[in-house]
mmCIF file of all heavy atoms in Angstrom:
data_model
loop_
_atom_site.group_PDB
_atom_site.id
_atom_site.type_symbol
_atom_site.label_atom_id
_atom_site.label_comp_id
_atom_site.label_asym_id
_atom_site.label_seq_id
_atom_site.Cartn_x
_atom_site.Cartn_y
_atom_site.Cartn_z
ATOM 1 N N ASN A 43 12.134 0.473 7.798
ATOM 2 C CA ASN A 43 12.583 -0.354 8.910
ATOM 3 C C ASN A 43 13.030 0.521 10.063
ATOM 4 O O ASN A 43 13.343 1.687 9.914
ATOM 5 C CB ASN A 43 13.652 -1.344 8.488
ATOM 6 C CG ASN A 43 15.016 -0.698 8.344
ATOM 7 O OD1 ASN A 43 15.644 -0.364 9.344
ATOM 8 N ND2 ASN A 43 15.462 -0.523 7.109
ATOM 9 N N GLU A 44 13.000 -0.091 11.215
ATOM 10 C CA GLU A 44 13.409 0.619 12.417
ATOM 11 C C GLU A 44 14.679 0.017 12.999
ATOM 12 O O GLU A 44 14.925 0.111 14.200
ATOM 13 C CB GLU A 44 12.279 0.633 13.443
ATOM 14 C CG GLU A 44 11.776 -0.723 13.830
ATOM 15 C CD GLU A 44 10.602 -0.626 14.836
ATOM 16 O OE1 GLU A 44 9.679 0.139 14.577
ATOM 17 O OE2 GLU A 44 10.685 -1.305 15.836
ATOM 18 N N GLY A 45 15.445 -0.649 12.155
ATOM 19 C CA GLY A 45 16.662 -1.268 12.640
ATOM 20 C C GLY A 45 16.335 -2.505 13.429
ATOM 21 O O GLY A 45 15.322 -3.136 13.210
ATOM 22 N N GLY A 46 17.143 -2.857 14.332
ATOM 23 C CA GLY A 46 16.928 -4.046 15.136
ATOM 24 C C GLY A 46 18.255 -4.454 15.702
ATOM 25 O O GLY A 46 19.312 -4.034 15.226
ATOM 26 N N VAL A 47 18.233 -5.252 16.743
ATOM 27 C CA VAL A 47 19.469 -5.643 17.401
ATOM 28 C C VAL A 47 20.305 -6.517 16.472
ATOM 29 O O VAL A 47 21.487 -6.269 16.268
ATOM 30 C CB VAL A 47 19.170 -6.379 18.716
ATOM 31 C CG1 VAL A 47 20.447 -6.893 19.360
ATOM 32 C CG2 VAL A 47 18.436 -5.451 19.680
ATOM 33 N N LEU A 48 19.684 -7.537 15.898
ATOM 34 C CA LEU A 48 20.424 -8.446 15.027
ATOM 35 C C LEU A 48 20.107 -8.252 13.560
ATOM 36 O O LEU A 48 20.976 -8.313 12.721
ATOM 37 C CB LEU A 48 20.098 -9.904 15.414
ATOM 38 C CG LEU A 48 20.500 -10.300 16.825
ATOM 39 C CD1 LEU A 48 20.058 -11.713 17.147
ATOM 40 C CD2 LEU A 48 22.027 -10.186 17.011
ATOM 41 N N VAL A 49 18.863 -8.019 13.231
ATOM 42 C CA VAL A 49 18.453 -7.837 11.850
ATOM 43 C C VAL A 49 17.474 -6.664 11.786
ATOM 44 O O VAL A 49 16.783 -6.390 12.766
ATOM 45 C CB VAL A 49 17.761 -9.098 11.283
ATOM 46 C CG1 VAL A 49 18.743 -10.248 11.176
ATOM 47 C CG2 VAL A 49 16.564 -9.474 12.130
ATOM 48 N N PRO A 50 17.427 -5.970 10.643
ATOM 49 C CA PRO A 50 16.412 -4.922 10.507
ATOM 50 C C PRO A 50 15.009 -5.525 10.563
ATOM 51 O O PRO A 50 14.798 -6.618 10.039
ATOM 52 C CB PRO A 50 16.672 -4.341 9.118
ATOM 53 C CG PRO A 50 17.970 -4.874 8.685
ATOM 54 C CD PRO A 50 18.210 -6.135 9.441
ATOM 55 N N VAL A 51 14.094 -4.844 11.174
ATOM 56 C CA VAL A 51 12.708 -5.301 11.203
ATOM 57 C C VAL A 51 11.812 -4.215 10.642
ATOM 58 O O VAL A 51 12.117 -3.032 10.768
ATOM 59 C CB VAL A 51 12.246 -5.705 12.630
ATOM 60 C CG1 VAL A 51 13.061 -6.876 13.149
ATOM 61 C CG2 VAL A 51 12.339 -4.540 13.576
ATOM 62 N N PRO A 52 10.705 -4.611 10.002
ATOM 63 C CA PRO A 52 9.825 -3.606 9.414
ATOM 64 C C PRO A 52 9.073 -2.809 10.468
ATOM 65 O O PRO A 52 8.750 -3.327 11.533
ATOM 66 C CB PRO A 52 8.857 -4.450 8.561
ATOM 67 C CG PRO A 52 8.897 -5.805 9.152
ATOM 68 C CD PRO A 52 10.250 -5.985 9.760
ATOM 69 N N LYS A 53 8.818 -1.565 10.163
ATOM 70 C CA LYS A 53 7.983 -0.735 11.031
ATOM 71 C C LYS A 53 6.523 -1.175 10.892
ATOM 72 O O LYS A 53 6.097 -1.606 9.821
ATOM 73 C CB LYS A 53 8.092 0.734 10.640
ATOM 74 C CG LYS A 53 9.386 1.381 11.084
ATOM 75 C CD LYS A 53 9.357 2.862 10.776
ATOM 76 C CE LYS A 53 10.627 3.525 11.304
ATOM 77 N NZ LYS A 53 10.659 4.958 10.985
ATOM 78 N N VAL A 54 5.785 -0.991 11.950
ATOM 79 C CA VAL A 54 4.353 -1.262 11.936
ATOM 80 C C VAL A 54 3.635 0.033 11.556
ATOM 81 O O VAL A 54 3.949 1.090 12.091
ATOM 82 C CB VAL A 54 3.864 -1.783 13.293
ATOM 83 C CG1 VAL A 54 2.347 -1.959 13.294
ATOM 84 C CG2 VAL A 54 4.556 -3.098 13.648
ATOM 85 N N ALA A 55 2.692 -0.077 10.600
ATOM 86 C CA ALA A 55 1.839 1.039 10.229
ATOM 87 C C ALA A 55 0.402 0.634 10.546
ATOM 88 O O ALA A 55 0.119 -0.548 10.825
ATOM 89 C CB ALA A 55 1.998 1.380 8.761
ATOM 90 N N TYR A 56 -0.501 1.591 10.494
ATOM 91 C CA TYR A 56 -1.903 1.303 10.791
ATOM 92 C C TYR A 56 -2.804 1.828 9.684
ATOM 93 O O TYR A 56 -2.671 2.966 9.269
ATOM 94 C CB TYR A 56 -2.313 1.911 12.133
ATOM 95 C CG TYR A 56 -1.616 1.235 13.284
ATOM 96 C CD1 TYR A 56 -0.398 1.691 13.764
ATOM 97 C CD2 TYR A 56 -2.167 0.106 13.878
ATOM 98 C CE1 TYR A 56 0.270 1.029 14.811
ATOM 99 C CE2 TYR A 56 -1.528 -0.567 14.908
ATOM 100 C CZ TYR A 56 -0.317 -0.074 15.373
ATOM 101 O OH TYR A 56 0.327 -0.734 16.386
ATOM 102 N N VAL A 57 -3.713 0.960 9.228
ATOM 103 C CA VAL A 57 -4.740 1.375 8.282
ATOM 104 C C VAL A 57 -5.982 1.680 9.083
ATOM 105 O O VAL A 57 -6.550 0.780 9.715
ATOM 106 C CB VAL A 57 -5.023 0.241 7.261
ATOM 107 C CG1 VAL A 57 -6.146 0.639 6.335
ATOM 108 C CG2 VAL A 57 -3.754 -0.092 6.471
ATOM 109 N N PRO A 58 -6.408 2.951 9.106
ATOM 110 C CA PRO A 58 -7.593 3.299 9.907
ATOM 111 C C PRO A 58 -8.849 2.660 9.350
ATOM 112 O O PRO A 58 -9.010 2.525 8.137
ATOM 113 C CB PRO A 58 -7.657 4.822 9.821
ATOM 114 C CG PRO A 58 -6.810 5.208 8.680
ATOM 115 C CD PRO A 58 -5.843 4.083 8.410
ATOM 116 N N MET A 59 -9.735 2.235 10.252
ATOM 117 C CA MET A 59 -10.983 1.595 9.845
ATOM 118 C C MET A 59 -12.175 2.539 9.971
ATOM 119 O O MET A 59 -13.304 2.148 9.763
ATOM 120 C CB MET A 59 -11.213 0.333 10.669
ATOM 121 C CG MET A 59 -10.146 -0.702 10.438
ATOM 122 S SD MET A 59 -10.287 -2.121 11.535
ATOM 123 C CE MET A 59 -11.795 -2.876 10.968
ATOM 124 N N SER A 60 -11.904 3.775 10.360
ATOM 125 C CA SER A 60 -12.964 4.757 10.529
ATOM 126 C C SER A 60 -12.369 6.134 10.365
ATOM 127 O O SER A 60 -11.201 6.346 10.705
ATOM 128 C CB SER A 60 -13.607 4.623 11.904
ATOM 129 O OG SER A 60 -14.496 5.704 12.137
ATOM 130 N N ASN A 61 -13.146 7.089 9.842
ATOM 131 C CA ASN A 61 -12.642 8.468 9.781
ATOM 132 C C ASN A 61 -13.225 9.304 10.904
ATOM 133 O O ASN A 61 -13.055 10.511 10.931
ATOM 134 C CB ASN A 61 -12.908 9.097 8.416
ATOM 135 C CG ASN A 61 -14.397 9.212 8.127
ATOM 136 O OD1 ASN A 61 -15.236 8.809 8.920
ATOM 137 N ND2 ASN A 61 -14.724 9.767 6.962
ATOM 138 N N ARG A 62 -13.905 8.662 11.866
ATOM 139 C CA ARG A 62 -14.471 9.393 13.017
ATOM 140 C C ARG A 62 -13.344 9.714 14.001
ATOM 141 O O ARG A 62 -12.341 9.019 14.075
ATOM 142 C CB ARG A 62 -15.535 8.536 13.710
ATOM 143 C CG ARG A 62 -16.776 8.320 12.887
ATOM 144 C CD ARG A 62 -17.772 7.427 13.594
ATOM 145 N NE ARG A 62 -17.965 7.808 14.990
ATOM 146 C CZ ARG A 62 -18.215 6.943 15.968
ATOM 147 N NH1 ARG A 62 -18.309 5.651 15.711
ATOM 148 N NH2 ARG A 62 -18.375 7.360 17.205
ATOM 149 N N ALA A 63 -13.537 10.763 14.754
ATOM 150 C CA ALA A 63 -12.568 11.116 15.793
ATOM 151 C C ALA A 63 -12.759 10.174 16.982
ATOM 152 O O ALA A 63 -13.881 9.787 17.309
ATOM 153 C CB ALA A 63 -12.788 12.558 16.240
ATOM 154 N N PHE A 64 -11.652 9.775 17.595
ATOM 155 C CA PHE A 64 -11.710 8.887 18.747
ATOM 156 C C PHE A 64 -10.910 9.484 19.868
ATOM 157 O O PHE A 64 -9.868 10.105 19.635
ATOM 158 C CB PHE A 64 -11.146 7.493 18.406
ATOM 159 C CG PHE A 64 -12.129 6.627 17.705
ATOM 160 C CD1 PHE A 64 -12.338 6.740 16.331
ATOM 161 C CD2 PHE A 64 -12.867 5.687 18.411
ATOM 162 C CE1 PHE A 64 -13.267 5.942 15.688
ATOM 163 C CE2 PHE A 64 -13.784 4.889 17.778
ATOM 164 C CZ PHE A 64 -13.988 5.006 16.417
ATOM 165 N N PHE A 65 -11.395 9.278 21.090
ATOM 166 C CA PHE A 65 -10.601 9.599 22.270
ATOM 167 C C PHE A 65 -9.819 8.337 22.600
ATOM 168 O O PHE A 65 -10.366 7.359 23.089
ATOM 169 C CB PHE A 65 -11.510 10.011 23.424
ATOM 170 C CG PHE A 65 -10.747 10.469 24.637
ATOM 171 C CD1 PHE A 65 -10.202 11.745 24.673
ATOM 172 C CD2 PHE A 65 -10.543 9.631 25.726
ATOM 173 C CE1 PHE A 65 -9.483 12.169 25.785
ATOM 174 C CE2 PHE A 65 -9.822 10.050 26.823
ATOM 175 C CZ PHE A 65 -9.294 11.343 26.852
ATOM 176 N N GLY A 66 -8.545 8.319 22.275
ATOM 177 C CA GLY A 66 -7.751 7.105 22.409
ATOM 178 C C GLY A 66 -7.602 6.472 21.044
ATOM 179 O O GLY A 66 -7.930 7.079 20.015
ATOM 180 N N PRO A 67 -7.056 5.277 21.028
ATOM 181 C CA PRO A 67 -6.767 4.635 19.731
ATOM 182 C C PRO A 67 -8.030 4.376 18.906
ATOM 183 O O PRO A 67 -9.019 3.865 19.439
ATOM 184 C CB PRO A 67 -6.104 3.320 20.126
ATOM 185 C CG PRO A 67 -5.669 3.496 21.553
ATOM 186 C CD PRO A 67 -6.627 4.480 22.151
ATOM 187 N N ALA A 68 -7.994 4.735 17.639
ATOM 188 C CA ALA A 68 -9.113 4.464 16.741
ATOM 189 C C ALA A 68 -8.969 3.047 16.195
ATOM 190 O O ALA A 68 -7.875 2.494 16.154
ATOM 191 C CB ALA A 68 -9.100 5.475 15.591
ATOM 192 N N PRO A 69 -10.106 2.428 15.779
ATOM 193 C CA PRO A 69 -9.991 1.103 15.177
ATOM 194 C C PRO A 69 -9.083 1.133 13.953
ATOM 195 O O PRO A 69 -9.217 2.013 13.095
ATOM 196 C CB PRO A 69 -11.429 0.793 14.745
ATOM 197 C CG PRO A 69 -12.287 1.757 15.485
ATOM 198 C CD PRO A 69 -11.435 2.964 15.790
ATOM 199 N N ALA A 70 -8.129 0.206 13.907
ATOM 200 C CA ALA A 70 -7.163 0.217 12.815
ATOM 201 C C ALA A 70 -6.588 -1.193 12.632
ATOM 202 O O ALA A 70 -6.596 -2.005 13.562
ATOM 203 C CB ALA A 70 -6.022 1.193 13.107
ATOM 204 N N ILE A 71 -6.110 -1.452 11.436
ATOM 205 C CA ILE A 71 -5.481 -2.741 11.134
ATOM 206 C C ILE A 71 -3.964 -2.526 11.164
ATOM 207 O O ILE A 71 -3.451 -1.705 10.395
ATOM 208 C CB ILE A 71 -5.869 -3.229 9.734
ATOM 209 C CG1 ILE A 71 -7.387 -3.390 9.620
ATOM 210 C CG2 ILE A 71 -5.164 -4.554 9.420
ATOM 211 C CD1 ILE A 71 -7.870 -3.627 8.194
ATOM 212 N N PRO A 72 -3.234 -3.230 12.040
ATOM 213 C CA PRO A 72 -1.772 -3.127 12.017
ATOM 214 C C PRO A 72 -1.204 -3.861 10.808
ATOM 215 O O PRO A 72 -1.600 -4.997 10.522
ATOM 216 C CB PRO A 72 -1.328 -3.780 13.326
ATOM 217 C CG PRO A 72 -2.454 -4.651 13.745
ATOM 218 C CD PRO A 72 -3.710 -4.105 13.109
#
Side-chain angles (χ1 to χ4, degrees):
N43 78 72
E44 56 182 49
V47 176
L48 298 176
V49 293
V51 297
K53 285 185 176 178
V54 176
Y56 291 90
V57 176
M59 296 174 67
S60 171
N61 63 358
R62 292 178 46 213
F64 279 82
F65 185 79
I71 301 169

